[in-house]
Amino acid sequence: MTFTAVLENIARSPITTKIGEKLTTAKSLSLSGLSRLGKGLISTHLCQQQAKPLLIVTATVEEATRWALQLQSMSWRVYL
């Protein structure tokens, strides 16, 4: 399953542009209040746009595994 069309729509979103601008000045960003899928899609777009790696820290191994599976479905190389 690919998320290409979804990522293209996210790329055109004004909020994504605003988040990207904030990331360039802050050097790090914490996304809260979104579902894991929403965070993953926005994070994927921002990292691809800026050609930077993505580090995700979770509280449990179970949550880390769910993140890993989601990012692998988006064609990320994941290290758990």
Side-chain angles (χ1 to χ4, degrees):
M1 177 177 179
T2 64
F3 292 94
T4 306
V6 176
L7 288 173
E8 288 171 1
N9 284 329
I10 289 172
R12 290 191 296 265
S13 168
I15 190 70
T16 304
T17 304
K18 188 170 243 176
I19 292 171
E21 290 169 0
K22 187 168 269 218
L23 183 59
T24 58
T25 59
K27 303 295 180 200
S28 69
L29 185 66
S30 176
L31 298 175
S32 59
L34 293 171
S35 68
R36 186 177 61 253
L37 180 58
K39 289 177 192 174
L41 290 169
I42 290 174
S43 300
T44 295
H45 166 70
L46 292 171
C47 290
Q48 287 175 346
Q49 181 185 42
Q50 297 185 2
K52 293 185 178 181
L54 174 63
L55 173 65
I56 298 173
V57 179
T58 65
T60 64
V61 174
E62 291 80 12
E63 182 67 12
T65 302
R66 288 191 289 270
W67 267 102
L69 292 171
Q70 177 181 321
L71 292 172
Q72 285 171 339
S73 72
M74 294 180 198
S75 302
W76 277 86
R77 187 178 318 145
V78 177
Y79 301 97
L80 178 63

